[in-house]
Amino acid sequence: ETGVTQTPRHLVMGMTNKKSLKCEQHLGHNAMYWYKQSAKKPLELMFVYSLEERVENNSVPSRFSPECPNSSHLFLHLHTLQPEDSALYLCASSQRGAGQETQYFGPGTRLLVL
Amino acid sequence: SQQGEEDPQALSIQEGENATMNCSYKTSINNLQWYRQNSGRGLVHLILIRSNEREKHSGRLRVTLDTSKKSSSLLITASRAADTASYFCATFYTGRRALTFGSGTRLQVQP
């Protein structure tokens, strides 16, 4: 395993629900990422946190709200989602400044919005 | 956009054959990486090649990089059914805060 865990692994929610995705990394890395992977689309970068500060928000709708309370934990808060938000949400971590940017991914959360 | 493009989109081969996947990108890079994804799971890093390297090996994997053509290839030799997965290239350059992933190649190895 890669040392990055995600919960829940599967989530079904209605458009009016509020839920949160959780990611935890046990690798001592200083950067964490959220990606969205939809069928037949390239991996889309959503958010980047470096040293607990958000350094990139890739034009993501406000119904997705990230939170990084410390360097090991990353959350994605979801509210009033749309059916097109159904996808696999992947969390990753890396050690920034190492010059390589190899990323370590969690297993993902499969989200279905009804 | 730095977006990489993989070719082919899908590849089906028999066990024991070699599999070759190609990746093209658009701008200068510091390194290029290949990742593997089993169905519905997270990505796993396979190999990294720096912009000043032309070829790299890791077990049954061989990666080449041609910066003049802005392309890379991943060769998996003596494929196994367990190699069935999607393979993605990802480029990194210091002007960007994260990797940029290609669209992937789905490899099916028939036993």
Side-chain angles (χ1 to χ4, degrees):
Chain A
E1 292 300 310
T2 63
V4 181
T5 58
Q6 289 186 243
T7 54
R9 296 293 311 280
H10 301 273
L11 180 61
V12 180
M13 58 188 290
M15 289 191 284
T16 58
N17 292 157
K18 289 185 180 181
K19 296 286 184 182
S20 295
L21 309 185
K22 178 183 176 182
C23 175
E24 184 173 359
Q25 60 98 0
H26 312 274
L27 301 169
H29 288 162
N30 59 13
M32 296 186 78
Y33 310 80
W34 278 117
Y35 289 90
K36 175 184 178 182
Q37 188 177 34
S38 306
K40 300 182 180 179
K41 282 188 176 181
L43 212 60
E44 299 173 60
L45 177 67
M46 299 176 73
F47 301 104
V48 180
Y49 276 83
S50 179
L51 298 171
E52 303 157 38
E53 181 182 346
R54 190 192 312 178
V55 296
E56 182 154 337
N57 175 346
N58 216 18
S59 302
V60 178
S62 59
R63 57 185 183 268
F64 295 91
S65 174
E67 178 190 2
C68 187
N70 55 61
S71 60
S72 299
H73 294 86
L74 184 65
F75 294 88
L76 188 63
H77 304 299
L78 316 172
H79 64 97
T80 60
L81 294 191
Q82 304 299 311
E84 61 264 28
D85 297 322
S86 298
L88 181 67
Y89 288 84
L90 293 164
C91 172
S93 70
S94 72
Q95 185 61 26
R96 294 187 69 83
Q100 298 192 356
E101 288 299 320
T102 297
Q103 293 190 4
Y104 295 80
F105 283 80
T109 295
R110 175 70 63 184
L111 173 67
L112 176 62
V113 181
L114 301 176
Chain B
S1 166
Q2 179 80 357
Q3 194 75 54
E5 295 292 332
E6 272 103 333
D7 168 51
Q9 289 188 333
L11 179 61
S12 182
I13 59 174
Q14 297 293 317
E15 235 178 358
E17 294 180 338
N18 296 341
T20 299
M21 289 159 267
N22 303 296
C23 168
S24 61
Y25 56 92
K26 296 181 180 178
T27 64
S28 298
I29 60 172
N30 293 92
N31 66 62
L32 185 143
Q33 305 175 32
W34 285 91
Y35 289 78
R36 165 197 168 122
Q37 184 182 33
N38 287 83
S39 180
R41 305 276 302 179
L43 280 71
V44 175
H45 178 258
L46 294 176
I47 193 167
L48 178 151
I49 186 165
R50 294 183 176 83
S51 60
N52 60 355
E53 297 175 312
R54 291 296 168 259
E55 186 171 315
K56 203 160 183 180
H57 297 256
S58 177
R60 294 184 295 113
L61 305 180
R62 172 178 169 252
V63 170
T64 62
L65 179 65
D66 187 335
T67 52
S68 66
K69 295 181 179 178
K70 293 187 171 56
S71 66
S72 173
S73 67
L74 172 67
L75 169 67
I76 304 174
T77 59
S79 63
R80 306 166 181 167
D83 294 328
T84 295
S86 291
Y87 292 82
F88 296 86
C89 69
T91 54
F92 173 70
Y93 71 106
T94 52
R96 185 121 200 268
R97 298 184 185 276
L99 297 173
T100 301
F101 284 85
S103 50
T105 293
R106 293 186 309 279
L107 174 65
Q108 176 78 40
V109 181
Q110 307 285 351

